[in-house]
Amino acid sequence: MFCSLERAVERFSRGEFVILVDDADRENEGDLIVAAQCVDADRINFMLREARGMLHLATTEDHLARIGIDLIEPKNADANTPRFGLPFDARSGISTGISAMDRAQTVQAALDPNAGPGDFVIPGHMLPLAARPEGLSARRGHTEGSVELARLSGLFPAALMSEVMAPEGHMARGDELLAFARKTGIDLIDVAQISDAVLNA
């Protein structure tokens, strides 16, 4: 069902998509992910058209702090609740912020090593997620898994993610994820494979 971690790292490092599946006793869902530094309008458009979930920029808490994106204070949350940041847009080089081109520009602006708080508008259309500082040892989620996969691939620790929905509108699981993988030719990987590699290194 799942490809090897080595194959996932190879494909991810080339800017190709991977479907990251979390534990069966957790959400048991799949996210279509791609390295943030490889994001362009075509990749975003593919994610919006094929995966159809929310589009998130998963990255580190330190990175969001550097560019001035505050985390949203959680309410009625638990340890598995994603750590959302305030939605943002690039301050320049975009139109309304919602198009695939604009969102790609916002992602690239966020990854610019010279970018700072003055380069972004809040609120906007890019939804950030902060991986827990302890990583997969604290939370075995898609956010932490995708950030660690980027690190293992030698890339900036950030990824663009979208949950995979079934055609009927519910979240794709099990055989539905397999069918999606076959249809798109995209490899599946389990978050446990990434966790084992990182925590046992």
Side-chain angles (χ1 to χ4, degrees):
M1 177 178 179
F2 300 113
C3 75
S4 68
L5 178 60
E6 291 76 17
R7 178 177 170 86
V9 165
E10 179 186 358
R11 299 197 70 168
F12 200 76
S13 67
R14 295 201 304 257
E16 297 180 32
F17 289 107
V18 174
I19 302 164
L20 178 61
V21 183
D22 70 341
D23 296 332
D25 60 356
R26 192 174 171 275
E27 290 178 341
N28 191 27
E29 295 177 0
D31 277 27
L32 183 63
I33 65 173
V34 67
Q37 70 187 70
C38 300
V39 164
D40 57 17
D42 288 340
R43 287 178 174 85
I44 287 181
N45 197 41
F46 180 87
M47 297 174 81
L48 295 172
R49 184 180 69 247
E50 300 293 337
R52 300 169 44 242
M54 293 180 71
L55 200 65
H56 304 111
L57 176 63
T59 186
T60 66
E61 185 176 335
D62 287 345
H63 177 214
L64 292 178
R66 179 177 66 79
I67 61 175
I69 308 300
D70 295 330
L71 297 183
I72 297 172
E73 185 68 26
K75 295 181 181 179
N76 304 317
D78 60 27
N80 281 322
T81 302
R83 302 170 74 229
F84 280 91
L86 294 171
F88 67 97
D89 284 339
R91 189 174 178 183
S92 61
I94 67 171
S95 177
T96 63
I98 191 63
S99 70
M101 290 72 73
D102 284 357
R103 283 192 264 186
Q105 176 61 30
T106 293
V107 171
Q108 293 306 319
L111 268 60
D112 185 337
N114 297 313
D119 297 308
F120 302 96
V121 175
I122 298 171
H125 299 86
M126 180 52 59
L127 297 170
L129 288 170
R132 296 192 181 277
E134 308 89 347
L136 288 162
S137 64
R139 182 176 183 271
R140 286 164 63 104
H142 296 99
T143 304
E144 289 74 19
S146 64
V147 168
E148 291 299 343
L149 183 59
R151 283 199 179 101
L152 290 171
S153 302
L155 303 174
F156 188 88
L160 205 63
M161 314 189 316
S162 177
E163 302 93 342
V164 179
M165 294 173 61
E168 296 78 13
H170 58 265
M171 304 315 298
R173 295 183 173 93
D175 289 343
E176 292 169 324
L177 278 176
L178 282 172
F180 179 82
R182 293 191 189 102
K183 170 192 167 188
T184 57
I186 297 172
D187 286 332
L188 288 156
I189 186 170
D190 186 351
V191 71
Q193 295 170 261
I194 303 172
S195 179
D196 290 346
V198 171
L199 299 182
N200 296 328

